[in-house]
Amino acid sequence: MKKKSLLVAIFFIAIVQPLYSQSFDDFKNQYNHEFESFGKERQDGIEALRAEYEQMVGAYKNAMYRMFDSEASSVDIMKTDDNIKNITQAAAPQQVINSAKIADEAQSAKSEIANTSSEQIMRQIVGTTTDKATAEQVKQATEKLSAVVKDVENQTEQPQTEPKSEPQTEIDAKPKTGEKPTPTVTNANIPSGKPCDYRRISSPFGERVHPVYGRRHFHKGVDLAAPNGTPIYATADGVVAFAGTCKGYGKFIKINHQNGYKTGYAHMSRMVVKTNAKVKKGDLIGYVGSTGTSTGNHLHYEVYYQDKLTDPAKTL
């Protein structure tokens, strides 16, 4: 027993006591080292957040470029007459929007964003520069830009690969007589009625405000959510001015109604008419799909009058 107590005493003197006899300088050096390590870890964490923010700035700019390019290119293809002349002149709708102005504003906005640095974007969102921002401010800016990217993708839709083959199932691929949409007006030369049997309007016509810059973004048509393969019909008599692939719009048909009106049908899975074909109101022209820049099956439908936009929802 005495021998065991002696061994414990020797252990305390040799091992434990020096820990309590550490000099103040040794303690200070150890504390400084631990503080420096903590500071370095904290700084590394902030740098990682800043790198994530810079990456999100790139994604944000790309999403905005895609949105503004889509706006400008779709206006260009709709305003050309495609050598199909007007025969008559229809009465103008109650409200029209200058499409050329929207295209010009889109290009101007794209240039502005291209020339805006990540520092300027950070200042606009949280009021400080990247190098002075706290970890919470960097997170806030990144989350805000991420929300903008998602908003743009939901509105202009993320580019996807077009299907390599036609849809396996088409709904009412050969509609029976009397199953065409019922027109809301009797004049077959003016766009009216439903272009397809849709479930809901997933995105309406009109102005939206940019979440960061506060400037407007205009949705030029209505998005009609419908299953893949849903038949699409011409909403008025006319001539197919364009049937092909359009940037952002995927498989796209433009009909010139030869009276000042034009209609556009985008994101089709398949087209059944060709350029220069004559169509009657209610004729089958294609099927709903998700080609081009689209996150889901729907028909993007536009109505122009004398190269100015009008709300398609008023004609449904």
Side-chain angles (χ1 to χ4, degrees):
M1 185 70 179
K2 290 182 179 180
K3 185 176 181 181
K4 185 176 181 181
S5 299
L6 180 62
L7 289 174
V8 170
I10 294 172
F11 173 80
F12 179 81
I13 295 171
I15 305 299
V16 179
Q17 189 175 12
L19 296 177
Y20 288 93
S21 62
Q22 181 183 34
S23 70
F24 178 75
D25 287 340
D26 291 340
F27 172 78
K28 184 171 68 173
N29 290 336
Q30 181 180 352
Y31 175 83
N32 288 339
H33 175 72
E34 291 175 354
F35 184 80
E36 288 174 2
S37 297
F38 171 77
K40 186 176 184 306
E41 289 177 4
R42 182 176 180 277
Q43 187 61 32
D44 289 345
I46 292 179
E47 291 302 325
L49 289 174
R50 287 173 181 162
E52 183 180 352
Y53 164 76
E54 292 289 346
Q55 185 176 8
M56 184 54 65
V57 167
Y60 160 77
K61 288 192 172 186
N62 287 335
M64 299 304 291
Y65 295 161
R66 184 171 65 252
M67 180 177 74
F68 294 130
D69 282 343
S70 178
E71 286 184 3
S73 63
S74 61
V75 168
D76 286 342
I77 198 169
M78 286 299 292
K79 74 181 182 182
T80 56
D81 62 14
D82 301 287
N83 298 317
I84 298 172
K85 304 300 181 183
N86 287 346
I87 297 174
T88 61
Q89 189 65 46
Q94 291 184 348
Q95 185 180 6
V96 292
I97 305 296
N98 190 331
S99 59
K101 184 179 179 182
I102 292 174
D104 290 343
E105 288 178 349
Q107 293 294 4
S108 174
K110 180 181 176 182
S111 297
E112 180 181 332
I113 291 174
N115 294 324
T116 302
S117 67
S118 57
E119 291 287 336
Q120 290 171 313
I121 294 173
M122 175 72 76
R123 187 181 293 277
Q124 287 173 328
I125 297 175
V126 297
T128 187
T129 57
T130 306
D131 60 332
K132 294 181 180 179
T134 64
E136 287 303 315
Q137 287 175 317
V138 176
K139 286 182 182 178
Q140 181 184 346
T142 304
E143 290 170 358
K144 185 67 176 287
L145 290 184
S146 177
V148 174
V149 170
K150 289 178 181 178
D151 182 68
V152 171
E153 288 176 350
N154 289 337
Q155 192 173 347
T156 65
E157 292 132 7
Q158 182 72 24
Q160 295 183 359
T161 304
E162 291 192 12
K164 294 181 179 179
S165 59
E166 306 300 345
Q168 294 181 351
T169 303
E170 290 178 346
I171 303 170
D172 296 331
K174 295 181 179 179
K176 298 177 182 178
T177 303
E179 290 187 351
K180 297 177 182 178
T182 303
T184 56
V185 295
T186 57
N187 190 342
N189 295 314
I190 296 178
S192 63
K194 299 189 297 183
C196 70
D197 186 13
Y198 62 93
R199 292 177 174 175
R200 63 188 175 90
I201 296 178
S202 56
S203 185
F205 174 86
E207 191 173 284
R208 291 163 60 102
V209 177
H210 188 283
V212 174
Y213 291 94
R215 68 187 303 160
R216 72 173 193 167
H217 163 63
F218 205 93
H219 189 227
K220 301 182 300 303
V222 291
D223 289 346
L224 307 176
N228 183 49
T230 300
I232 300 170
Y233 306 98
T235 54
D237 295 354
V239 180
V240 177
F242 180 90
T245 300
C246 174
K247 181 179 181 180
Y249 276 15
K251 293 179 180 178
F252 173 71
I253 287 176
K254 167 190 169 184
I255 299 177
N256 185 325
H257 301 290
Q258 298 181 279
N259 56 7
Y261 280 94
K262 301 173 186 176
T263 51
Y265 312 77
H267 308 305
M268 291 184 174
S269 61
R270 184 161 71 94
M271 302 174 289
V272 298
V273 293
K274 297 181 179 180
T275 301
N276 295 322
K278 291 184 179 180
V279 295
K280 293 290 186 181
K281 184 182 185 73
D283 282 353
L284 180 69
I285 60 173
Y287 298 92
V288 169
S290 187
T291 57
T293 54
S294 174
T295 53
N297 295 307
H298 74 283
L299 171 66
H300 174 83
Y301 176 56
E302 295 182 355
V303 177
Y304 278 66
Y305 177 76
Q306 292 188 345
D307 293 333
K308 294 181 174 62
L309 289 158
T310 185
D311 186 359
K314 295 181 179 179
T315 71
L316 297 176

